[in-house]
Amino acid sequence: MKKMLAVAMSILALTFASYTVRESRCADAAKDDKQTSAGAMTVVGFSQVGVESDWRMANTQSMKKAFSEKKGYKLIIKDAQQKQSRQIAAIRDFIAQRVDYIVLAPVTEEGWDKVLREAKDAGIPVIIVDRMIKTSDNDLFTCWVGSDFRKEGGTAVIWMEKNLGSDKDLHIAHLQGSMGSSAQIGRTEALQAGVSKNPGWRMVASDSGDFTQAKGKEVMERILKQYPQIDVLYCENDNMAFGAMEAMDEVGRTYGVKGATKIISFDATHAGLTATLEGKINFNVECNPLHGPRVEEIIRRLKTGERPAKLAYVDEAAFDATVITQAELDQREY
Ligand code: AHR
């Protein structure tokens, strides 16, 4: 009986060994395929949030331009349609394809550890771009480059205090971005801190427009029906501000420099700055989407064995409708 068991065990061990060898050969073959199809190219898998805003389109364009074939890259972009589950599936797909680098623009902050560990186990460096992630282990990603969203919100609140009055009674409506994203969390925290600090400021409504023009309009329509007085509309991106302006136009509510509702917006895209120059948006805080060259530089440095900074914040400006110039708008690349 003991002998039979030993024979069975050794057959099992042999089968397992040949399975393992076959698996690793498959992996090598996949790597060879990649080298054949892409030559000496560096393959980068980019999991993008979606196409929810002008900012996002500019960000995708910037990545495409930076990771061109001419520069020796093969860029695979997967649009997650603003769903984290699709981003997780995209990362798994990149791992299966054995890309050289993974770039993740995360839709939300939480929930990445498991899939990032899979990428780490596969030996693929992950660069996080734009929004941040919350992780129990910072070694699960290689580098991050993006915006300080809390600072952006703080800049807007300082402008409100100086220009609308720290001691004034203000009825504030708040259009939030996608809940759980760093862009929403940082900008919302700054406004909430401003409301707690300034006793006259009252948040009358706060709801998410998911960073899109259509939802921004929809939410604003509801707010307008409920509240006859809105002194400030704090809008967490330009596209939602455009939607809100459409809603206000339809019911004859005035806004901007000469109107009753003062509008604060974020992104300062070309269209957003045009509305600022026209006096429709009172104050617009920049969120810079041109991360392509920044991420490309990180990858270039990683390839030569350098250690780029773990975290890098980009510098951002802000524009007041009463001060912005045509020249500033003309310089806008996105
Ligand atoms: O994460 C950056 C934000 O995401 C931008 O403010 C917004 O427009 C985009 O969709």
Side-chain angles (χ1 to χ4, degrees), residues 20 31 49 66 83 110 131 175 214 281 284 291 321 323:
T20 316
K31 198 172 185 187
V49 169
K83 289 186 183 73
E110 312 258 0
R131 303 171 185 172
L175 284 187
I281 291 175
N284 207 330
H291 293 310
V323 206

Side-chain angles (χ1 to χ4, degrees), residues 264-300:
I264 312 295
S265 185
F266 294 85
D267 284 358
T269 56
H270 196 278
L273 279 194
T274 304
T276 312
L277 190 68
E278 289 168 351
K280 294 176 179 170
I281 291 175
N282 294 73
F283 190 63
N284 207 330
V285 185
E286 179 183 53
C287 181
N288 192 308
L290 306 179
H291 293 310
R294 298 177 188 123
V295 179
E296 202 262 336
E297 195 194 326
I298 290 174
I299 289 181
R300 229 178 324 123

Side-chain angles (χ1 to χ4, degrees), residues 49 51-56 82 106 129-131 147 149 152 178 181-184 187 210-212 236-239 266-267 269 287-288:
V49 169
V51 289
E52 76 280 10
S53 63
D54 293 359
W55 187 102
R56 192 61 57 192
Q82 288 181 273
V129 68
D130 166 33
R131 303 171 185 172
S147 299
F149 300 105
E152 288 177 358
S178 306
S181 67
S182 314
Q184 175 271 317
R187 293 166 188 168
D210 217 8
F211 284 128
T212 71
E236 287 182 5
N237 83 345
D238 283 340
N239 287 84
F266 294 85
D267 284 358
T269 56
C287 181
N288 192 308

Side-chain angles (χ1 to χ4, degrees), residues 56-115:
R56 192 61 57 192
M57 314 285 232
N59 179 244
T60 301
Q61 280 315 312
S62 171
M63 289 291 288
K64 281 185 179 167
K65 210 169 147 195
F67 290 94
S68 65
E69 289 199 2
K70 239 167 109 185
K71 288 187 190 157
Y73 291 102
K74 180 174 181 227
L75 180 67
I76 309 165
I77 303 182
K78 284 189 184 279
D79 171 355
Q81 297 169 17
Q82 288 181 273
K83 289 186 183 73
Q84 186 180 39
S85 56
R86 293 182 76 106
Q87 292 205 286
I88 291 173
I91 294 172
R92 291 205 168 118
D93 191 41
F94 294 147
I95 296 170
Q97 287 189 55
R98 307 194 66 196
V99 300
D100 298 302
Y101 297 90
I102 292 173
V103 181
L104 167 66
V107 62
T108 49
E109 287 193 343
E110 312 258 0
W112 299 103
D113 279 19
K114 190 166 187 284
V115 74

Side-chain angles (χ1 to χ4, degrees), residues 68-293:
S68 65
E69 289 199 2
K70 239 167 109 185
K71 288 187 190 157
Y73 291 102
K74 180 174 181 227
L75 180 67
I76 309 165
I77 303 182
K78 284 189 184 279
D79 171 355
Q81 297 169 17
Q82 288 181 273
K83 289 186 183 73
Q84 186 180 39
S85 56
R86 293 182 76 106
Q87 292 205 286
I88 291 173
I91 294 172
R92 291 205 168 118
D93 191 41
F94 294 147
I95 296 170
Q97 287 189 55
R98 307 194 66 196
V99 300
D100 298 302
Y101 297 90
I102 292 173
V103 181
L104 167 66
V107 62
T108 49
E109 287 193 343
E110 312 258 0
W112 299 103
D113 279 19
K114 190 166 187 284
V115 74
L116 292 189
R117 194 165 298 285
E118 290 169 28
K120 193 171 169 34
D121 290 347
I124 304 174
V126 175
I127 294 123
I128 313 279
V129 68
D130 166 33
R131 303 171 185 172
M132 222 331 168
I133 60 161
K134 277 212 173 87
T135 169
S136 58
D137 178 0
N138 268 352
D139 286 343
L140 291 180
F141 68 95
T142 307
C143 294
W144 168 85
V145 61
S147 299
D148 185 338
F149 300 105
R150 181 64 176 76
K151 188 172 168 199
E152 288 177 358
T155 305
V157 169
I158 290 170
W159 184 91
M160 286 165 65
E161 288 174 341
K162 279 196 188 145
N163 294 273
L164 307 177
S166 181
D167 48 350
K168 286 259 173 64
D169 284 343
L170 293 180
H171 290 203
I172 303 168
H174 178 199
L175 284 187
Q176 295 176 284
S178 306
M179 300 308 283
S181 67
S182 314
Q184 175 271 317
I185 294 170
R187 293 166 188 168
T188 295
E189 272 177 11
L191 178 63
Q192 284 168 346
V195 171
S196 327
K197 190 176 146 211
N198 297 288
W201 292 14
R202 227 182 90 206
M203 190 94 89
V204 293
S206 185
D207 204 349
S208 173
D210 217 8
F211 284 128
T212 71
Q213 188 154 340
K215 280 201 188 154
K217 182 176 182 208
E218 200 182 295
V219 173
M220 193 61 188
E221 283 169 347
R222 280 203 301 272
I223 294 175
L224 291 170
K225 279 188 195 137
Q226 275 181 283
Y227 302 99
Q229 184 190 345
I230 295 166
D231 304 305
V232 184
L233 173 64
Y234 182 98
C235 231
E236 287 182 5
N237 83 345
D238 283 340
N239 287 84
M240 292 191 296
F242 302 146
M245 287 192 264
E246 275 173 36
M248 288 193 274
D249 285 338
E250 283 172 14
V251 294
R253 301 272 279 260
T254 62
Y255 52 86
V257 175
K258 294 187 183 148
T261 303
K262 305 302 171 199
I263 301 183
I264 312 295
S265 185
F266 294 85
D267 284 358
T269 56
H270 196 278
L273 279 194
T274 304
T276 312
L277 190 68
E278 289 168 351
K280 294 176 179 170
I281 291 175
N282 294 73
F283 190 63
N284 207 330
V285 185
E286 179 183 53
C287 181
N288 192 308
L290 306 179
H291 293 310

